[in-house]
Amino acid sequence: MALTKNKKVLDFVAESAELGQPDNIVWIDGSAEQIKALKKEAVKSGELIKLNDNLLPDCYLHRTKVNDVARVEDRTFICTKNKEDAGPVNYWMDPRQAYELANEIARGSMKGRTMYVIPYSMGVVGSPFAKIGIEVTDSIYVVLNMNIMTRVGVECLKALGKNGDFIKGFHAKCNVDADKRYIMHFPEDNTIISVNSAYGGNVLLGKKCFALRIASYLGKNEGWMAEHMLILGVTFPDGEKKYVAAAFPSACGKTNLAMLIPPKHYLDKGYKVECVGDDIAWIRVGEDGRLWAVNPENGFFGVAPGTNEHSNYNALQSTKRGTIFTNVALNTDDMTVWWEGLTKELPEHCIDWTGKPWDSAKYDKHDKSTCAAHPNSRFTAPAINCPCVSPEFNSKKGVPLSAIIFGGRRASTTPLVYEARDWNHGVFIGSAMSSETTAAAAGAVGVLRHDPMAMKPFAGYHMGDYFAHWVEMGKKVKNPPKIFNVNWFRTDADGNFMWPGFGDNMRVLEWILKRCDGAADAEETAIGFVPKAEDIDLTDLDYEYDDGKKFGVDELKEILAIDKAKWAKEAEEIEGYYNGTIKDRIPQELWDSLNTLKENCKGAVEEVKEKPAAKKNVAKKATATTAKKPAAKKTTTTAKKPAAKKTTK
Ligand code: GTP
Ligand code: SPV
Ligand code: MN
């Protein structure tokens, strides 16, 4: 029975049912009994495997089809009336054509199935940040995951009232046919359509589709921001609390940083880190002129491989109850789960993520095809499970941001940390981000690509307008957070990560937050403010490389050093991206920062090669085409807006 009188909701459900032609329609009310019954049904049908109820109470394993294991960026579309509004880095489809295509694919596809209607809220119901969505889906897996990742049920319909607006989400798994898979966004219609997938980011429509792609578009029009950012709080020994938000591309360390456990001597002094969110931040200007952020999600959809007691204790603890695992391995000795990096010992009897018995003797950690768990296998865990969840997690007004951090996977060039000179310079740094690709999206792994603000796959409109929106937001905040860039992923000649990372990232966070108070020193360099080696606390740091060499001040100096020649190249590369890819709508403020960078690195050019761990790398493009050019000439030219000037409103 319908749970609302909201005509728009009822019409949407009726239209969806007319299209999908399901045998039944079930409204998700959010009650524990209903969820329990659905889990039972999914276990019966084989969609979920029940895990050991003593060791992992209320936990389940789900395996997707092998063709459906990650986001599919080349099948993800922004469907705006004008192609230019989707911009240069999104795939675009004409909305009329997209609706037609989707209807054709989805028509009758729910026959013999049940269509579930999920009313959900992104954000705490009743918070001024919160927005309501309705997702219809023919997948119980989607219902159960949405029930963890968002706030689901009748309270959302109540909040919507009789006439309220909501984001429409239509999901039909169809035959999970990769050739007919489409993830379509209609920002002008508040609508999302997803067909032929049953995997995470493609089908949990509240997450990337709504909370980033649609929400970023809403944010541009309404004066707020939707960002691919974790939010964490640091409590200082004197009791003061400060919050930071950090944007790293997919599988580049957000969940890990959000839940970090500081090194012992920090804990002894009384430092504490708490997690507000691990993936998405909605940010608004507060009455006090600061930026305030909430995490619109209610759970974590985290990368499993590499998660263990030591690397991320808090994430692992979060998965100990009420969790759905996707594409991890099943340890049949005790009906628990396993993935690469969970334990050093390999399990004796285990079924791999494809459902076949796994032969640990054939396991080669350099060959992903021998893995028991898929490299992008995930856990969907309730945020309340997390031992370090912030007391502000359910706050309706959010938390004030002292700092915003950008970061990515960079084998070279980018130092461990540096600070922007001001807001607009920080926006430039975000816009210029590059990172090596990961298993979170289908396609090659380890390829260096531009990923501005970690939003390349998630900005629901023109990237140039998105940059301009950042600049505009800066004008609205009287007390903007300071902006920083970090890189945990510098490698040495042998491919070892040079910085210990994980909990030791606290040492960098401390410098960042002290900078926000003017309480830490730095050196002004060509790219911004960089700490001197003595500004980073290395007390009790014990990190050994594979060859037995220990991390020390010399290594720290190396990863803090600014190589102007490399940065001259980087500036050229950024200019190439601006001119060649984004092309127009880039605000003048960013060209100004680019020109300053070029000016600061003038004269320093050498053959620069960046080699990430995986060898496929686009950096060779830059070295091949530009290294030979005379230094002075190239670096003195001033970056300009392209001739055909299109200004942003
Ligand atoms: P999404 O959920 O895809 O958005 O990923 P994420 O950004 O939350 O990344 P996550 O924290 O799950 O980390 C992804 C991978 O990076 C894992 O394999 C981690 O072990 C690794 N990682 C995270 N932090 C660090 C770090 O500080 N140093 C190193 N070397 N690796 C890290
Ligand atoms: C990411 O890829 O950034 C994720 C996983 O958080 S997904 O939900 O699939 O997008
Ligand atoms: Mn993410």
Side-chain angles (χ1 to χ4, degrees):
M1 204 188 63
L3 295 178
T4 179
K5 292 201 169 87
N6 184 308
K7 184 159 182 316
K8 286 178 254 182
V9 175
L10 295 175
D11 286 350
F12 170 57
V13 172
E15 283 160 24
S16 302
E18 201 177 300
L19 179 62
Q21 297 167 32
D23 288 7
N24 303 300
I25 299 176
V26 170
W27 289 70
I28 301 302
D29 59 18
S31 69
E33 307 81 70
Q34 188 184 36
I35 294 299
K36 202 170 155 193
L38 286 171
K39 285 174 179 167
K40 222 170 154 184
E41 191 180 332
V43 170
K44 203 167 152 211
S45 71
E47 194 171 347
L48 293 182
I49 295 168
K50 174 98 180 81
L51 299 169
N52 185 322
D53 208 51
N54 292 319
L55 299 171
L56 294 169
D58 196 26
C59 289
Y60 300 83
L61 168 65
H62 172 77
R63 298 190 190 111
T64 65
K65 278 202 171 181
V66 294
N67 75 15
D68 190 32
V69 294
R71 284 184 292 102
V72 278
E73 295 184 0
D74 59 346
R75 309 202 65 93
T76 298
F77 294 86
I78 302 297
C79 310
T80 43
K81 279 194 206 86
N82 297 318
K83 184 173 182 186
E84 306 82 68
D85 293 340
V89 302
N90 279 315
Y91 293 88
W92 173 84
M93 206 186 285
D94 173 71
R96 252 183 318 173
Q97 189 197 340
Y99 282 122
E100 233 167 73
L101 179 61
N103 286 353
E104 199 179 296
I105 292 171
R107 191 166 296 122
S109 73
M110 293 181 181
K111 274 184 194 154
R113 300 180 185 173
T114 297
M115 184 178 90
Y116 301 93
V117 182
I118 315 169
Y120 66 97
S121 176
M122 298 313 292
V124 180
V125 179
S127 155
F129 284 84
K131 294 203 178 279
I132 305 290
I134 307 283
E135 175 167 357
V136 299
T137 175
D138 55 355
S139 158
I140 296 185
Y141 169 78
V142 168
V143 174
L144 297 177
N145 275 272
M146 285 293 283
N147 185 57
I148 297 172
M149 293 306 296
T150 73
R151 291 149 175 106
V152 162
V154 279
E155 56 164 353
C156 306
L157 291 168
K158 273 195 203 133
L160 200 53
K162 248 182 152 170
N163 298 306
D165 278 317
F166 59 95
I167 305 297
K168 297 176 192 171
F170 176 92
H171 167 242
K173 61 186 171 193
C174 305
N175 302 316
V176 197
D177 177 351
D179 295 329
K180 291 187 180 162
R181 184 169 300 151
Y182 293 95
I183 321 299
M184 296 161 162
H185 305 72
F186 305 83
E188 290 149 355
D189 300 344
N190 285 336
T191 297
I192 305 156
I193 299 179
S194 165
V195 289
N196 275 302
S197 174
Y199 172 80
N202 296 334
V203 297
L204 309 179
L205 301 185
K207 194 174 177 58
K208 295 302 171 38
C209 301
F210 174 174
L212 287 179
R213 297 195 190 96
I214 298 285
S216 61
Y217 175 86
L218 294 174
K220 180 196 67 158
N221 293 329
E222 297 170 2
W224 55 282
M225 306 164 94
E227 300 298 331
H228 193 197
M229 290 179 178
L230 67 94
I231 308 166
L232 65 78
V234 177
T235 308
F236 286 77
D238 65 3
E240 198 199 352
K241 274 193 180 190
K242 284 194 191 318
Y243 295 91
V244 310
F248 308 156
S250 301
C252 290
K254 287 183 300 303
T255 302
N256 275 274
L257 187 67
M259 299 181 190
L260 83 73
I261 298 180
K264 185 169 177 302
H265 90 282
Y266 282 91
L267 296 173
D268 291 346
K269 278 197 255 178
Y271 280 92
K272 193 158 74 177
V273 171
E274 286 163 328
C275 172
V276 180
D278 82 325
D279 199 49
I280 298 177
W282 284 0
I283 303 172
R284 289 176 181 272
V285 185
E287 282 164 16
D288 59 358
R290 289 191 289 177
L291 283 181
W292 289 70
V294 298
N295 166 18
E297 301 192 282
N298 201 26
F300 308 120
F301 187 60
V303 177
T307 307
N308 62 50
E309 290 265 319
H310 308 287
S311 66
N312 195 344
Y313 169 85
N314 288 314
L316 191 64
Q317 285 309 113
S318 306
T319 68
K320 293 297 182 193
R321 60 184 60 240
T323 293
I324 299 173
F325 298 91
T326 301
N327 292 339
V328 301
L330 175 66
N331 184 338
T332 45
D333 282 334
D334 58 3
M335 288 303 279
T336 57
V337 284
W338 191 81
W339 49 76
E340 281 68 21
L342 176 61
T343 54
K344 280 213 179 87
E345 318 73 55
L346 308 181
E348 256 174 65
H349 302 107
C350 151
I351 310 264
D352 73 16
W353 69 275
T354 68
K356 296 196 190 79
W358 185 62
D359 185 354
S360 61
K362 290 200 184 126
Y363 174 59
D364 166 8
K365 70 174 178 184
H366 301 294
D367 178 359
K368 294 286 180 205
S369 72
T370 66
C371 286
H374 187 274
N376 190 38
S377 55
R378 300 246 169 190
F379 53 80
T380 315
I384 45 158
N385 282 2
C386 182
C388 68
V389 69
S390 166
E392 300 302 317
F393 177 76
N394 282 316
S395 159
K396 289 185 177 163
K397 70 179 201 314
V399 296
L401 297 179
S402 296
I404 285 177
I405 306 174
F406 295 119
R409 277 179 195 263
R410 292 297 304 263
S412 87
T413 313
T414 311
L416 177 64
V417 59
Y418 67 108
E419 178 192 336
R421 287 182 295 272
D422 55 30
W423 177 270
N424 284 337
H425 180 225
V427 177
F428 165 73
I429 291 169
S431 79
M433 270 168 67
S434 295
S435 190
E436 292 149 28
T437 52
T438 65
V445 169
V447 180
L448 190 65
R449 72 164 186 186
H450 286 275
D451 192 350
M453 283 88 169
M455 284 289 277
K456 192 248 162 225
F458 307 119
Y461 60 102
H462 193 294
M463 192 54 86
D465 288 347
Y466 171 78
F467 295 164
H469 182 50
W470 267 84
V471 171
E472 284 309 305
M473 288 298 294
K475 294 179 189 158
K476 287 190 202 172
V477 267
K478 271 208 310 289
N479 304 305
K482 283 187 180 269
I483 300 182
F484 298 80
N485 194 89
V486 298
N487 178 20
W488 314 141
F489 298 95
R490 276 283 279 271
T491 51
D492 64 14
D494 301 324
N496 297 309
F497 290 120
M498 293 184 71
W499 172 248
F502 301 98
D504 287 309
N505 293 333
M506 180 67 203
R507 302 169 191 275
V508 175
L509 266 184
E510 183 191 22
W511 179 78
I512 286 175
L513 288 171
K514 283 191 169 163
R515 285 294 293 172
C516 296
D517 275 346
D521 206 0
E523 205 159 4
E524 184 157 14
T525 74
I527 67 167
F529 298 100
V530 178
K532 297 179 201 135
E534 60 268 29
D535 299 325
I536 303 283
D537 181 356
L538 295 185
T539 308
D540 294 339
L541 177 55
D542 189 16
Y543 181 62
E544 207 171 87
Y545 299 107
D546 280 353
D547 62 4
K549 197 174 78 178
K550 291 228 173 197
F551 181 91
V553 180
D554 289 343
E555 285 69 30
L556 179 61
K557 282 186 177 155
E558 201 177 329
I559 58 178
L560 288 175
I562 305 304
D563 182 333
K564 274 204 203 178
K566 287 186 179 166
W567 277 96
K569 275 262 149 294
E570 186 83 5
E572 260 179 46
E573 168 64 32
I574 298 163
E575 187 173 0
Y577 180 64
Y578 275 16
N579 279 324
T581 301
I582 307 297
K583 292 202 178 95
D584 57 7
R585 307 198 194 188
I586 296 176
Q588 187 58 46
E589 287 84 347
L590 302 196
W591 290 112
D592 294 345
S593 281
L594 175 59
N595 284 329
T596 305
L597 177 63
K598 288 172 71 175
E599 195 61 28
N600 289 351
C601 299
K602 198 151 75 181
V605 163
E606 63 165 29
E607 182 94 358
V608 181
K609 272 201 186 103
E610 179 152 356
K611 66 166 180 33
K615 296 227 166 65
K616 309 154 221 149
N617 178 0
V618 292
K620 62 179 179 305
K621 227 176 32 194
T623 48
T625 52
T626 49
K628 282 164 264 145
K629 285 187 187 156
K633 227 195 234 163
K634 188 69 200 171
T635 45
T636 45
T637 42
T638 302
K640 271 192 278 305
K641 278 188 179 177
K645 257 196 224 164
K646 259 210 173 166
T647 40
T648 48
K649 67 233 91 169

